[in-house]
Amino acid sequence: MTGGFPVDLILFAMIAAFLVLRLRSVLGKRTGFERPVQPEARPTGFDPRGATIDGMAEEVPAGGGRSGRHVVPDPRTPPGQALSRIASIDHSFEPNRFLDGAEAAFRMIVSAFGAGDRTMLRPLLSDDTYAGFEQAITARENAGETQRTELRAVHELAIEAADLRGSIADITVRFVTDQINMTMGRGGEVVTGSDAVTELTDLWTFQRDLSQADPTWKLVATRSA
């Protein structure tokens, strides 16, 4: 992708707007998710307040600001050098705008997972990652379980690693958040988790083929730190 127009972030925001329409009964409420089958980790929630990505409105979580502190690696480090190489191919790439889009994707994926919305998840995940999420959703449905996830705060978003192999770019982001996570059984009993606020650190890796017209950075791996 060339030029200075941030198409990838606009796509994130367009998907966010679609989520508001599709998941109005889910976003901003006490819905949730459970940790997908390994190596998948737990994502986050969503709620309304007016933040923007490049001028397009999106929703952000109640009880916290739009996002936490952004941490971008020094350009002299290996991750920083990889980001520079990515920007040399995709001239619209900018690390802080990427973190804005990554946060939007983080919220959307978690909300869709909690709602069991496979249609929403599919275009945002790689094949292997989607298979893990879909397996976890199916297991939850078969067990008659429901989930509650409440995002209380986003403290930090940090680019932990970056790599460019040919035209394939990988960027790993660390998300530090305060969340409430609970899984309830058929009778409303708590199966896992609690209503206590817990600080979670998740590492998500996004990937994109810079030679392709598709601007989507897909989630290819997740784990908890």
Side-chain angles (χ1 to χ4, degrees):
M1 180 171 62
T2 60
F5 199 73
V7 178
D8 50 342
L9 297 181
I10 294 299
L11 180 64
F12 277 134
M14 290 172 63
I15 297 173
F18 182 60
L19 263 174
V20 174
L21 297 176
R22 285 286 308 279
L23 303 178
R24 187 169 298 276
S25 63
V26 176
L27 304 184
K29 297 183 180 180
R30 295 189 173 188
T31 56
F33 68 97
E34 62 186 359
R35 182 186 303 275
V37 176
Q38 291 298 323
E40 315 310 333
R42 41 182 175 245
T44 329
F46 216 168
D47 165 299
R49 279 223 322 219
T52 62
I53 292 182
D54 289 338
M56 296 190 68
E58 65 163 341
E59 297 194 358
V60 297
R66 178 182 175 281
S67 66
R69 181 172 68 107
H70 284 193
V71 180
V72 176
D74 188 295
R76 295 167 295 183
T77 64
Q81 293 171 359
L83 294 177
S84 296
R85 293 196 301 273
I86 291 170
S88 72
I89 298 175
D90 176 1
H91 300 298
S92 72
F93 178 82
E94 197 282 319
N96 280 293
R97 287 204 304 267
F98 172 84
L99 286 174
D100 285 339
E103 180 183 353
F106 186 76
R107 299 179 186 281
M108 289 186 288
I109 290 169
V110 174
S111 296
F113 178 75
D117 191 336
R118 296 171 176 83
T119 300
M120 184 60 61
L121 286 170
R122 191 64 191 90
L124 299 175
L125 311 179
S126 69
D127 291 345
D128 289 344
T129 304
Y130 175 77
F133 274 67
E134 201 281 332
Q135 182 179 352
I137 290 170
T138 298
R140 186 177 68 205
E141 292 171 344
N142 290 342
E145 295 175 346
T146 58
Q147 287 189 232
R148 167 192 166 193
T149 293
E150 184 178 338
L151 177 64
R152 289 297 183 88
V154 178
H155 296 299
E156 184 176 275
L157 301 94
I159 295 178
E160 287 281 291
D163 191 25
L164 181 64
R165 304 177 309 283
S167 63
I168 305 299
D170 291 291
I171 300 177
T172 298
V173 179
R174 182 178 74 246
F175 299 90
V176 181
T177 63
D178 283 347
Q179 298 182 38
I180 292 174
N181 288 285
M182 296 178 66
T183 301
M184 278 79 72
R186 295 181 188 273
E189 71 281 6
V190 176
V191 176
T192 60
S194 73
D195 60 0
V197 176
T198 304
E199 182 177 283
L200 301 176
T201 300
D202 294 299
L203 294 171
W204 284 23
T205 300
F206 298 91
Q207 185 178 92
R208 180 174 168 244
D209 185 345
L210 302 181
S211 70
Q212 300 300 311
D214 183 0
T216 307
W217 288 83
K218 294 190 175 184
L219 180 64
V220 297
T222 74
R223 64 185 176 90
S224 293

